Amino acid sequence: LKNGHFIVHDGGLQTEAAYFMEYITGLVPEGEKPVIEAWFISHCHNDHYGVLSEITQNQAWLNQIYVEGFYYVEPSSKMFSMLTTQSDPNGNMIITRAYRLFKTEDGGAPEFYRPQFGQRYYFCDVVIDVSLTLEQIAQDGWRGTDFNDTSLWVMHKIDGQRMLFAGDAGQQGIYAAIDMFDKEYFTMDIFVPFHHGINVYDDFTNQCTYDVVLYPSWRAMSIWETRADMKAEFENENLKAKAKEVHHFGEGTMVLTFPYELGTAEQMEKFVTKYSPL
């Protein structure tokens, strides 16, 4: 943010905590601690809350950052009972309890927010709209098979540009979004699918207009290309074809400065994970 603070989305696996800490502490002047104004968790799968969990196991890391607030939609027990695959109630507990181990800049405990559809948050120069939550997905007839579909969707507005984060949502998530919004809403500057990516269905990307896409390389595949007998290089070509600029996760951290102009992204050196719990 322009005030020197940060907004974080998810974070990654436990093994990526060392990189996360090295990266974010390196973005502030020496002797200062990063202030995370908002830490959003899209859903409670280990590859999304793992960094958060790992930091809570390391007092030295806890002492190196401030966190003002966590934003997470806690699923109900009924929601978990509807799941047939990929549920992680342990992760749910970690997110909703372990956050208290962090400290705010004034020494207090972070606030815990449960985003609801239609809410708007203001952070210095960034406005964040809550676009979709698990409540809307359940209301739209979610059958409870894949917890990824409960991912929190948020639309950022930064210097007149729009950037969508939509977690790991798959088929049921995207159809809930399509039912709720028209193509105008999905006209954006930057589109950010996460690990599985809502881009796995062309029905959704055909609803979208975007200039830049940041996506997790080969993992952004159609449902038919995720079978064990298919090779990883089968990517969603429709996703890439619609964009003027494409960046893959895993190539090295990509830095985009707002207002973003095409062709100005900077690629940092690829980080080799050096995991240590100490």
mmCIF file of all heavy atoms in Angstrom, residues 17 22 26 29 37 39-40 56 87 90 115 119 133 144 152 154 159 187 210 213-214 255 268:
data_model
loop_
_atom_site.group_PDB
_atom_site.id
_atom_site.type_symbol
_atom_site.label_atom_id
_atom_site.label_comp_id
_atom_site.label_asym_id
_atom_site.label_seq_id
_atom_site.Cartn_x
_atom_site.Cartn_y
_atom_site.Cartn_z
ATOM 1 N N ALA A 17 7.237 -20.731 4.088
ATOM 2 C CA ALA A 17 7.221 -19.696 5.119
ATOM 3 C C ALA A 17 8.535 -18.921 5.165
ATOM 4 O O ALA A 17 8.542 -17.705 5.360
ATOM 5 C CB ALA A 17 6.928 -20.310 6.489
ATOM 6 N N GLU A 22 11.322 -13.846 4.447
ATOM 7 C CA GLU A 22 12.473 -13.142 3.864
ATOM 8 C C GLU A 22 12.007 -12.054 2.904
ATOM 9 O O GLU A 22 12.558 -10.948 2.882
ATOM 10 C CB GLU A 22 13.380 -14.135 3.137
ATOM 11 C CG GLU A 22 14.595 -13.480 2.486
ATOM 12 C CD GLU A 22 15.500 -14.503 1.820
ATOM 13 O OE1 GLU A 22 15.744 -15.557 2.424
ATOM 14 O OE2 GLU A 22 15.946 -14.245 0.686
ATOM 15 N N GLY A 26 12.041 -7.926 3.746
ATOM 16 C CA GLY A 26 12.979 -7.211 2.878
ATOM 17 C C GLY A 26 12.366 -6.025 2.165
ATOM 18 O O GLY A 26 13.075 -5.259 1.494
ATOM 19 N N PRO A 29 12.142 -0.666 5.381
ATOM 20 C CA PRO A 29 13.462 -0.175 5.783
ATOM 21 C C PRO A 29 14.048 -0.997 6.914
ATOM 22 O O PRO A 29 13.326 -1.533 7.752
ATOM 23 C CB PRO A 29 13.174 1.261 6.231
ATOM 24 C CG PRO A 29 11.924 1.650 5.511
ATOM 25 C CD PRO A 29 11.110 0.394 5.421
ATOM 26 N N GLU A 37 -1.886 -5.024 6.955
ATOM 27 C CA GLU A 37 -3.188 -4.480 7.342
ATOM 28 C C GLU A 37 -4.290 -5.526 7.200
ATOM 29 O O GLU A 37 -5.243 -5.539 7.987
ATOM 30 C CB GLU A 37 -3.524 -3.245 6.500
ATOM 31 C CG GLU A 37 -2.772 -2.007 6.920
ATOM 32 C CD GLU A 37 -3.424 -0.737 6.416
ATOM 33 O OE1 GLU A 37 -4.630 -0.746 6.094
ATOM 34 O OE2 GLU A 37 -2.702 0.287 6.334
ATOM 35 N N TRP A 39 -4.878 -9.770 6.069
ATOM 36 C CA TRP A 39 -4.417 -11.076 5.590
ATOM 37 C C TRP A 39 -5.663 -11.886 5.250
ATOM 38 O O TRP A 39 -6.411 -12.305 6.129
ATOM 39 C CB TRP A 39 -3.596 -11.770 6.673
ATOM 40 C CG TRP A 39 -2.817 -12.973 6.192
ATOM 41 C CD1 TRP A 39 -3.159 -13.842 5.200
ATOM 42 C CD2 TRP A 39 -1.546 -13.417 6.679
ATOM 43 N NE1 TRP A 39 -2.196 -14.807 5.028
ATOM 44 C CE2 TRP A 39 -1.188 -14.571 5.923
ATOM 45 C CE3 TRP A 39 -0.684 -12.976 7.670
ATOM 46 C CZ2 TRP A 39 -0.007 -15.272 6.153
ATOM 47 C CZ3 TRP A 39 0.488 -13.674 7.891
ATOM 48 C CH2 TRP A 39 0.830 -14.813 7.135
ATOM 49 N N PHE A 40 -5.897 -12.066 3.945
ATOM 50 C CA PHE A 40 -7.057 -12.801 3.460
ATOM 51 C C PHE A 40 -6.704 -14.275 3.270
ATOM 52 O O PHE A 40 -5.666 -14.596 2.686
ATOM 53 C CB PHE A 40 -7.540 -12.244 2.113
ATOM 54 C CG PHE A 40 -8.244 -10.919 2.218
ATOM 55 C CD1 PHE A 40 -7.524 -9.730 2.217
ATOM 56 C CD2 PHE A 40 -9.627 -10.859 2.306
ATOM 57 C CE1 PHE A 40 -8.172 -8.505 2.312
ATOM 58 C CE2 PHE A 40 -10.292 -9.642 2.394
ATOM 59 C CZ PHE A 40 -9.558 -8.457 2.397
ATOM 60 N N THR A 56 3.153 -19.316 13.124
ATOM 61 C CA THR A 56 2.692 -19.412 14.511
ATOM 62 C C THR A 56 3.529 -20.384 15.328
ATOM 63 O O THR A 56 3.464 -20.365 16.564
ATOM 64 C CB THR A 56 1.213 -19.842 14.578
ATOM 65 O OG1 THR A 56 1.078 -21.160 14.039
ATOM 66 C CG2 THR A 56 0.317 -18.875 13.826
ATOM 67 N N SER A 87 -11.803 -31.842 2.490
ATOM 68 C CA SER A 87 -12.110 -30.993 3.628
ATOM 69 C C SER A 87 -10.912 -30.957 4.572
ATOM 70 O O SER A 87 -10.109 -31.879 4.612
ATOM 71 C CB SER A 87 -13.347 -31.507 4.363
ATOM 72 O OG SER A 87 -13.135 -32.816 4.838
ATOM 73 N N ASN A 90 -9.111 -29.209 10.440
ATOM 74 C CA ASN A 90 -7.962 -28.816 11.259
ATOM 75 C C ASN A 90 -7.455 -27.444 10.837
ATOM 76 O O ASN A 90 -7.121 -26.600 11.665
ATOM 77 C CB ASN A 90 -6.847 -29.849 11.143
ATOM 78 C CG ASN A 90 -5.657 -29.500 12.030
ATOM 79 O OD1 ASN A 90 -5.789 -29.370 13.239
ATOM 80 N ND2 ASN A 90 -4.495 -29.344 11.419
ATOM 81 N N PRO A 115 -15.718 -12.046 6.061
ATOM 82 C CA PRO A 115 -16.269 -11.294 4.927
ATOM 83 C C PRO A 115 -17.621 -11.840 4.470
ATOM 84 O O PRO A 115 -17.838 -13.053 4.437
ATOM 85 C CB PRO A 115 -15.212 -11.473 3.832
ATOM 86 C CG PRO A 115 -13.949 -11.755 4.578
ATOM 87 C CD PRO A 115 -14.370 -12.559 5.774
ATOM 88 N N GLN A 119 -19.801 -6.656 0.988
ATOM 89 C CA GLN A 119 -19.026 -5.776 1.850
ATOM 90 C C GLN A 119 -17.901 -5.122 1.056
ATOM 91 O O GLN A 119 -17.415 -5.652 0.064
ATOM 92 C CB GLN A 119 -18.438 -6.558 3.025
ATOM 93 C CG GLN A 119 -19.474 -6.963 4.058
ATOM 94 C CD GLN A 119 -18.858 -7.706 5.226
ATOM 95 O OE1 GLN A 119 -17.819 -8.342 5.096
ATOM 96 N NE2 GLN A 119 -19.512 -7.647 6.374
ATOM 97 N N THR A 133 -18.886 -15.472 -1.612
ATOM 98 C CA THR A 133 -18.514 -16.230 -0.425
ATOM 99 C C THR A 133 -19.211 -17.582 -0.471
ATOM 100 O O THR A 133 -20.074 -17.828 -1.316
ATOM 101 C CB THR A 133 -18.912 -15.495 0.865
ATOM 102 O OG1 THR A 133 -20.339 -15.443 0.954
ATOM 103 C CG2 THR A 133 -18.337 -14.090 0.899
ATOM 104 N N GLY A 144 -21.757 -29.761 -2.458
ATOM 105 C CA GLY A 144 -20.877 -30.163 -1.366
ATOM 106 C C GLY A 144 -19.845 -31.208 -1.707
ATOM 107 O O GLY A 144 -19.524 -32.054 -0.881
ATOM 108 N N LEU A 152 -13.135 -17.749 -1.140
ATOM 109 C CA LEU A 152 -13.539 -16.354 -1.087
ATOM 110 C C LEU A 152 -13.056 -15.625 -2.336
ATOM 111 O O LEU A 152 -11.898 -15.751 -2.725
ATOM 112 C CB LEU A 152 -12.929 -15.704 0.164
ATOM 113 C CG LEU A 152 -13.111 -14.203 0.339
ATOM 114 C CD1 LEU A 152 -14.573 -13.866 0.606
ATOM 115 C CD2 LEU A 152 -12.222 -13.698 1.468
ATOM 116 N N VAL A 154 -12.500 -11.873 -4.096
ATOM 117 C CA VAL A 154 -12.412 -10.445 -3.801
ATOM 118 C C VAL A 154 -11.900 -9.693 -5.026
ATOM 119 O O VAL A 154 -11.010 -10.158 -5.737
ATOM 120 C CB VAL A 154 -11.503 -10.153 -2.589
ATOM 121 C CG1 VAL A 154 -12.188 -10.566 -1.291
ATOM 122 C CG2 VAL A 154 -10.158 -10.832 -2.723
ATOM 123 N N ASP A 159 -5.829 2.392 -8.027
ATOM 124 C CA ASP A 159 -5.507 3.428 -9.016
ATOM 125 C C ASP A 159 -6.348 3.300 -10.280
ATOM 126 O O ASP A 159 -5.840 3.403 -11.400
ATOM 127 C CB ASP A 159 -4.012 3.375 -9.366
ATOM 128 C CG ASP A 159 -3.135 3.915 -8.249
ATOM 129 O OD1 ASP A 159 -3.632 4.721 -7.444
ATOM 130 O OD2 ASP A 159 -1.955 3.529 -8.177
ATOM 131 N N THR A 187 -15.039 -7.432 -16.263
ATOM 132 C CA THR A 187 -14.088 -6.667 -17.064
ATOM 133 C C THR A 187 -13.047 -6.119 -16.110
ATOM 134 O O THR A 187 -13.355 -5.302 -15.236
ATOM 135 C CB THR A 187 -14.789 -5.512 -17.806
ATOM 136 O OG1 THR A 187 -15.761 -6.057 -18.696
ATOM 137 C CG2 THR A 187 -13.777 -4.700 -18.605
ATOM 138 N N TYR A 210 -9.789 -9.352 -19.647
ATOM 139 C CA TYR A 210 -8.654 -8.989 -18.805
ATOM 140 C C TYR A 210 -7.431 -8.761 -19.677
ATOM 141 O O TYR A 210 -7.283 -9.345 -20.749
ATOM 142 C CB TYR A 210 -8.364 -10.084 -17.773
ATOM 143 C CG TYR A 210 -8.372 -11.487 -18.329
ATOM 144 C CD1 TYR A 210 -7.247 -12.028 -18.933
ATOM 145 C CD2 TYR A 210 -9.512 -12.278 -18.271
ATOM 146 C CE1 TYR A 210 -7.252 -13.306 -19.460
ATOM 147 C CE2 TYR A 210 -9.535 -13.560 -18.785
ATOM 148 C CZ TYR A 210 -8.398 -14.071 -19.383
ATOM 149 O OH TYR A 210 -8.419 -15.337 -19.898
ATOM 150 N N VAL A 213 -2.885 -11.800 -16.940
ATOM 151 C CA VAL A 213 -3.258 -12.945 -16.121
ATOM 152 C C VAL A 213 -2.013 -13.457 -15.400
ATOM 153 O O VAL A 213 -0.936 -13.580 -15.986
ATOM 154 C CB VAL A 213 -3.923 -14.067 -16.954
ATOM 155 C CG1 VAL A 213 -2.990 -14.602 -18.028
ATOM 156 C CG2 VAL A 213 -4.408 -15.194 -16.061
ATOM 157 N N LEU A 214 -2.165 -13.674 -14.103
ATOM 158 C CA LEU A 214 -1.123 -14.284 -13.277
ATOM 159 C C LEU A 214 -1.656 -15.650 -12.892
ATOM 160 O O LEU A 214 -2.634 -15.745 -12.162
ATOM 161 C CB LEU A 214 -0.864 -13.459 -12.015
ATOM 162 C CG LEU A 214 -0.529 -11.983 -12.201
ATOM 163 C CD1 LEU A 214 -0.482 -11.277 -10.862
ATOM 164 C CD2 LEU A 214 0.793 -11.824 -12.918
ATOM 165 N N VAL A 255 6.731 -8.573 -9.973
ATOM 166 C CA VAL A 255 6.392 -7.321 -9.311
ATOM 167 C C VAL A 255 5.677 -6.420 -10.310
ATOM 168 O O VAL A 255 6.250 -6.037 -11.330
ATOM 169 C CB VAL A 255 7.647 -6.617 -8.763
ATOM 170 C CG1 VAL A 255 7.262 -5.300 -8.088
ATOM 171 C CG2 VAL A 255 8.393 -7.523 -7.791
ATOM 172 N N MET A 268 11.780 -11.054 -10.324
ATOM 173 C CA MET A 268 12.868 -11.239 -9.391
ATOM 174 C C MET A 268 13.491 -12.613 -9.581
ATOM 175 O O MET A 268 12.907 -13.506 -10.204
ATOM 176 C CB MET A 268 12.361 -11.091 -7.954
ATOM 177 C CG MET A 268 11.816 -9.709 -7.640
ATOM 178 S SD MET A 268 11.087 -9.612 -5.987
ATOM 179 C CE MET A 268 12.498 -10.055 -4.958
#
